[in-house]
Amino acid sequence: MSFEVAKKAIDYILDNENDSNFATESVIWDFIGGEPFLEIDLIEQITNYIKSELYRRNHHWFNSYRLNFTTNGINYDNPKVQQYIKDNYTHIGITITIDGTKRKHDLNRVYKNSSRGSYDDVVKNIPLYLSQFPGASTKVTISSEDIPYIKESVLHLFSLGINEVNINCVFEDVWKDGDELLFENQLIELADEIIDNKLYEGNVCSFYNENIGKPLSTTTSDQNWCGAGMMLSIDAQGNFYPCTRFAGYSLRNKKPIIIGNIRDGINNNLLRPFLSLTRSSQSTDECINCDYAYGCAWCQGENYDAADTPTIYQRATAICKMHKARVRANNYYWNKLYRKLELEGAEKPAEKSFDINC
Amino acid sequence: MLKYLVIQLADDAASYCHYENVSKGVQFISVENLKTAIRFGMVENLNIQFIYPKRALPDGYAEIIETIDHTKIIPCAAPNSKSADIVVCNSIEEIEGYNFDKEQIVILRIYRSEVNELPRIYDLLKGKCARLNVVLRDVEKFSEGDFEDYKSLLAQLGNKVTTSLIEGGNAQLNLLTDRLVLNTMNNCNAGDEVVAIMPNGKFYPCAGFYYDNPNEDFGDLMRGVQIKKRQLFKLSYAPICRHCDAYHCRRCAWLNRKTTLEVNTPSHEQCVVAHLERNESGRILSSIREACEYEPETTIPEIDYLDPFEKRKEW
Amino acid sequence: MKKIVGQVTVEEKNEIQLLFERRNGLNELAKILTPENDALYQKLVKDMGETGTKFQQWWDGMADKYQWEGTVDGHWEINFETCEIFLVTNN
């Protein structure tokens, strides 16, 4: 993306402060790549423009904005990156995607034109990262080949000092026969480790959530899970998407859904399907009436990409068996944990939250 | 379930709805396909509508058509338009120059720039036809200013309709009188209750989909109707429309897809236009009930929005 | 050491959170704005002074209203999630 494109996008967004699409109390400017820190000079230029324009215009977002990054962490200790962090520290959120153990991480993350994995170059930056962002979390995505490494990876991340591991299965149809059983066993073994070693005190793994796996009512719980359409994604040419998953480079089978651009603005009619979509209007009766519905997520982009026709209103169900396996392991986790605490006479652990102080 | 079968007799048959016939083709449906389509309609127990072109049909077609009870939709410029159940006019000039039969239903397809002519046309046709259906050809292009103009125009038309109804006249005008008798959605329902067979022998939700892309068919006369993601054509899968009470709205799946890319999601413009009509129907209903007894137990409550999409957080 | 010494209302918390965010925004804007951009620079300098004053006034006002426990070597902190006020001391 050129700075000119970024500038026009920012101008469009700020020019339309009162438009219903931007009538939010706060804003997150999210820099995603590829790898955003490869373009730290451009990001700095963009950030400075955002800050000064918000202020110059007396825009209400000046009092409530954040700058978010998801990075592979390799350039984290780069002096320019560090200076940028220092200059914007109170507004920055950074997630380093480290997938777990070296063998798990290097399975997917290798340097271009090389078989060398990036684990060693990332993990050396974790202490610096945690010293700057003590409550930092990481995000792990699981595909079929990753299943055998789930337990060791989560435990490894905890041991690195990353206390919050957000982890989920990919929504794409990558699952083989029997994956659900392997997955369930991994999560049960992980549950044993977490509970037997009291790792639940101070650590969170998002796989375990007390509320998931229950039926959902269409009258009281019919909302959309996915945030597509509630964000604005901008590509290097200045095209707008409801989410980056609808850009051409993210899609396998379908045409991109471009909802506008920096010159013409947003075509609100193209946003309407995203903003009015509900769980019931895109699901089959099997999903609507599923006993395990709570916590079964979807990605609107994958729904679109996998649909029989060019619609976002067809829920992809490749994740179904993995969700049900997760629910079974989750039930195991909470049953085991509560029994243990009951026998020990201890109180139920409070969910971890990170304090924000001034 | 399917209730209606639309049989398009030729590529250049009249558009009687929002879509434009953009085909350069002149192909008639083959005799074999015509017979098979009629048989399909008979065995599926469907109401059949034939859509005619302006030019005469080849020899033998008329006899085949008459083998089944049906509705004829014919452009007013066609040589056989006097035999039409529904006559299609594509302009004010066409409607002005035509001598309708009292039993005929008239479809007038006009642009938003022409709607100011409607009160005059309404007076012109009064007592001369069974019903006037107005189709806006460019509803998706309405601006905020156009909405204001349309609202004023509907108020003028509403006064005429009210007077006529109080006097006991038959004043059927789809834009304003349909909602007076409806308590549930009564839409086009293409793809759910209605399917069209085109001259190529293939099924589509309506002719508009065929003209957009003939390769996106919903089956053919050999394989039968194969509607992909059929539930998306149903009201229950339309997240905005299922909360709406503009029951007379055409809820055009083709227009939906054109403007929002989804057959189940209407554009802002379609919603506002339908609600301006709905609200004027409400005014007419109140006026009639003040003046005389009105049988249908219709209710049209006052609402504070013109686009139900704006109320989505309350659903 | 950190201990709870009181609590404010959500509305009161919102006031200080807004000032906190604004102060942070002004401080980080100050790092990139130079006197060459005279109008914006003057506005910023004035704004930083005013915001700092309002910030201190909030703490003074709340301390006066709620009579929180305090020490010479300590300071108060607020948790924006819970509206709780903490006394933080070095020992």
Side-chain angles (χ1 to χ4, degrees):
Chain A
M1 181 180 285
S2 68
F3 176 68
E4 278 311 304
V5 166
K7 183 174 174 296
K8 279 182 184 162
I10 294 160
D11 285 341
Y12 168 74
I13 292 165
L14 300 186
D15 284 347
N16 290 281
E17 181 177 5
N18 298 320
D19 186 296
S20 62
N21 292 317
F22 304 117
T24 54
E25 201 177 323
S26 311
V27 65
I28 296 172
W29 305 93
D30 201 344
F31 296 87
I32 60 170
E35 167 50 39
F37 287 153
L38 286 173
E39 292 289 344
I40 190 64
D41 291 335
L42 174 64
I43 286 172
E44 185 186 15
Q45 198 180 5
I46 293 171
T47 303
N48 290 348
Y49 186 69
I50 289 171
K51 284 155 61 171
S52 53
E53 274 303 289
L54 284 175
Y55 189 64
R56 189 183 66 78
R57 293 164 183 255
N58 293 317
H59 196 290
H60 71 282
W61 283 345
F62 183 77
N63 295 329
S64 195
Y65 72 92
R66 291 289 181 272
L67 306 160
N68 266 18
F69 298 85
T70 300
T71 169
N72 62 27
I74 293 171
N75 286 340
Y76 189 79
D77 60 348
N78 174 298
K80 280 186 176 174
V81 172
Q82 283 298 307
Q83 186 60 47
Y84 177 84
I85 291 170
K86 197 176 161 194
D87 288 345
N88 297 283
Y89 184 71
T90 65
H91 290 93
I92 277 187
I94 297 177
T95 299
I96 292 184
T97 47
I98 178 164
D99 289 347
T101 55
K102 181 174 167 61
R103 64 172 175 167
K104 158 72 173 80
H105 184 93
D106 288 348
L107 203 64
N108 297 316
R109 297 177 184 274
V110 292
Y111 283 96
K112 194 177 176 184
N113 303 324
S114 157
S115 58
R116 188 166 74 87
S118 65
Y119 175 86
D120 292 334
D121 297 327
V122 180
V123 83
K124 73 174 168 51
N125 286 328
I126 295 298
L128 174 62
Y129 171 53
L130 289 175
S131 73
Q132 291 171 326
F133 300 98
S137 62
T138 191
K139 182 162 181 334
V140 181
T141 309
I142 301 295
S143 187
S144 180
E145 288 71 26
D146 306 317
I147 294 173
Y149 310 105
I150 292 173
K151 181 184 75 171
E152 65 177 42
S153 293
V154 174
L155 295 174
H156 179 67
L157 292 167
F158 286 166
S159 74
L160 289 176
I162 298 172
N163 302 127
E164 186 178 338
V165 179
N166 294 310
I167 185 164
N168 67 277
C169 293
V170 298
F171 294 99
E172 285 74 10
D173 189 7
V174 298
W175 308 107
K176 302 186 186 90
D177 286 345
D179 274 355
E180 69 275 24
L181 293 175
L182 292 173
F183 181 57
E184 183 179 332
N185 286 338
Q186 276 287 309
L187 295 198
I188 285 176
E189 286 175 25
L190 176 61
D192 286 339
E193 290 284 344
I194 290 175
I195 294 168
D196 294 347
N197 297 302
K198 287 197 173 184
L199 295 174
Y200 51 82
E201 292 178 349
N203 294 299
V204 174
C205 172
S206 66
F207 268 140
Y208 308 111
N209 179 318
E210 221 177 333
N211 297 317
I212 67 163
K214 299 177 178 68
L216 280 174
S217 155
T218 50
T219 48
T220 58
S221 303
D222 201 25
Q223 62 269 41
N224 187 6
W225 173 281
C226 175
M230 286 177 276
M231 66 185 94
L232 186 65
S233 179
I234 305 156
D235 73 9
Q237 286 71 45
N239 292 313
F240 294 158
Y241 303 89
C243 162
T244 191
R245 186 68 175 77
F246 289 89
Y249 51 75
S250 302
L251 294 162
R252 300 182 304 276
N253 303 315
K254 297 289 195 311
K255 288 181 190 166
I257 295 186
I258 297 174
I259 58 167
N261 59 55
I262 51 175
R263 292 165 296 282
D264 307 320
I266 295 172
N267 178 342
N268 281 309
N269 276 334
L270 296 177
L271 263 185
R272 284 164 75 90
F274 290 91
L275 298 181
S276 50
L277 189 143
T278 60
R279 188 172 72 90
S280 65
S281 60
Q282 61 163 332
S283 303
T284 61
D285 285 347
E286 186 185 353
C287 287
I288 291 170
N289 300 318
C290 178
D291 286 340
Y292 304 95
Y294 196 118
C296 183
W298 58 80
C299 162
Q300 220 59 62
E302 171 58 16
N303 286 359
Y304 172 64
D305 214 0
D308 299 329
T309 61
T311 180
I312 62 167
Y313 279 77
Q314 182 181 334
R315 189 165 163 187
T317 53
I319 203 170
C320 176
K321 65 179 185 179
M322 306 306 285
H323 172 67
K324 286 174 179 165
R326 177 193 172 197
V327 169
R328 288 192 295 272
N330 185 60
N331 291 340
Y332 174 89
Y333 176 90
W334 292 104
N335 277 312
K336 176 165 177 162
L337 178 61
Y338 282 153
R339 184 62 178 160
K340 181 192 179 198
L341 295 175
E342 189 182 21
L343 291 173
E344 290 174 352
E347 282 188 11
K348 177 182 163 185
E351 287 217 6
K352 185 173 176 180
S353 67
F354 296 102
D355 293 347
I356 305 164
N357 296 313
C358 87
Chain B
M1 63 183 285
L2 283 180
K3 293 180 181 172
Y4 298 91
L5 175 65
V6 177
I7 301 177
Q8 183 111 342
L9 294 169
D11 273 335
D12 56 342
S15 167
Y16 60 103
C17 204
H18 290 295
Y19 67 88
E20 297 297 330
N21 185 335
V22 293
S23 170
K24 293 190 174 75
V26 291
Q27 180 191 2
F28 281 102
I29 191 169
S30 69
V31 169
E32 189 188 350
N33 279 346
L34 179 58
K35 286 180 177 173
T36 313
I38 291 172
R39 183 189 154 89
F40 175 84
M42 291 168 79
V43 300
E44 295 292 334
N45 205 26
L46 305 177
N47 293 302
I48 296 180
Q49 298 174 339
F50 289 104
I51 316 298
Y52 285 70
K54 280 184 190 171
R55 57 207 169 107
L57 296 177
D59 290 346
Y61 277 56
E63 290 74 21
I64 299 169
I65 288 168
E66 294 306 326
T67 59
I68 181 70
D69 188 23
H70 64 271
T71 301
K72 288 186 177 73
I73 302 177
I74 305 177
C76 66
N80 62 339
S81 65
K82 289 294 172 194
S83 65
D85 300 293
I86 301 172
V87 183
V88 182
C89 299
N90 273 313
S91 67
I92 300 287
E93 292 72 32
E94 280 191 349
I95 210 166
E96 285 174 332
Y98 196 80
N99 189 18
F100 297 98
D101 185 290
K102 279 188 179 178
E103 301 300 315
Q104 286 180 318
I105 293 171
V106 180
I107 291 177
L108 173 61
R109 300 180 67 244
I110 53 170
Y111 296 101
R112 66 193 193 288
S113 58
E114 299 172 293
V115 293
N116 286 336
E117 296 286 339
L118 281 177
R120 187 172 65 78
I121 296 299
Y122 182 78
D123 286 339
L124 185 73
L125 295 188
K126 204 169 172 183
K128 291 180 182 165
C129 65
R131 173 181 167 85
L132 174 61
N133 280 357
V134 175
V135 175
L136 296 166
R137 300 171 74 162
D138 54 356
V139 67
E140 72 279 11
K141 292 180 181 162
F142 267 67
S143 65
E144 291 302 318
D146 292 330
F147 291 144
E148 284 302 314
D149 294 345
Y150 192 55
K151 184 180 175 186
S152 306
L153 176 274
L154 289 172
Q156 282 181 56
L157 272 174
N159 291 338
K160 290 179 182 293
V161 169
T162 305
T163 306
S164 175
L165 288 173
I166 290 172
E167 288 171 352
N170 178 14
Q172 284 194 44
L173 170 65
N174 66 328
L175 304 178
L176 295 177
T177 61
D178 286 3
R179 181 61 183 83
L180 298 178
V181 293
L182 291 171
N183 280 311
T184 57
M185 274 291 182
N186 183 44
N187 319 120
C188 162
N189 293 339
D192 181 23
E193 296 183 342
V194 184
V195 70
I197 187 88
M198 301 305 289
N200 63 0
K202 293 180 178 176
F203 290 109
Y204 300 84
C206 78
F209 287 83
Y210 168 74
Y211 293 124
D212 278 355
N213 184 357
N215 296 322
E216 286 183 1
D217 62 82
F218 279 19
D220 58 36
L221 287 166
M222 300 297 288
R223 293 178 288 149
V225 179
Q226 297 168 335
I227 301 174
K228 292 171 194 156
K229 302 311 298 173
R230 184 170 179 176
Q231 77 268 22
L232 297 182
F233 291 93
K234 293 179 185 294
L235 179 63
S236 56
Y237 277 81
I240 298 174
C241 304
R242 69 188 181 189
H243 294 281
C244 177
D245 76 344
Y247 297 139
H248 71 295
C249 175
R250 212 170 281 261
R251 210 165 71 78
C252 174
W254 173 80
L255 202 49
N256 288 354
R257 197 181 69 163
K258 181 182 177 189
T259 52
T260 71
L261 304 180
E262 295 288 347
V263 295
N264 66 347
T265 309
S267 66
H268 171 70
E269 292 78 14
Q270 190 172 184
C271 286
V272 173
V273 163
H275 277 75
L276 291 170
E277 294 159 2
R278 172 215 179 271
N279 291 350
E280 184 56 31
S281 296
R283 204 175 65 86
I284 294 170
L285 191 63
S286 300
S287 302
I288 298 170
R289 285 197 169 132
E290 273 174 27
C292 59
E293 221 168 83
Y294 184 71
E295 288 292 333
E297 291 179 4
T298 316
T299 55
I300 310 177
E302 285 198 16
I303 50 177
D304 62 355
Y305 58 89
L306 289 172
D307 183 353
F309 176 77
E310 291 161 11
K311 293 285 172 182
R312 64 191 182 280
K313 287 180 182 157
E314 296 173 18
W315 298 339
Chain C
M1 206 180 86
K2 192 171 174 178
K3 71 169 182 177
I4 298 175
V5 293
Q7 189 157 21
V8 293
T9 65
V10 173
E11 291 73 26
E12 287 164 344
K13 183 268 295 185
N14 289 343
E15 287 172 26
I16 192 66
Q17 190 167 11
L18 184 77
L19 290 168
F20 174 70
E21 287 285 341
R22 186 161 190 81
R23 194 182 64 168
N24 288 341
L26 293 170
N27 286 340
E28 289 179 1
L29 181 63
K31 293 176 184 173
I32 58 162
L33 221 52
T34 57
E36 283 82 66
N37 191 344
D38 188 52
L40 214 53
Y41 188 78
Q42 292 303 328
K43 183 184 168 191
L44 175 70
V45 170
K46 186 165 173 272
D47 205 344
M48 288 177 84
E50 286 172 359
T51 304
T53 303
K54 283 181 192 166
F55 196 84
Q56 192 54 47
Q57 280 172 347
W58 186 92
W59 281 106
D60 293 344
M62 292 299 125
D64 192 44
K65 178 180 174 184
Y66 291 108
Q67 294 295 306
W68 297 319
E69 177 189 337
T71 58
V72 179
D73 63 338
H75 67 275
W76 293 305
E77 285 183 0
I78 180 170
N79 182 327
F80 290 142
E81 302 270 295
T82 62
C83 303
E84 290 167 327
I85 305 295
F86 295 87
L87 174 63
V88 182
T89 53
N90 291 330
N91 49 24

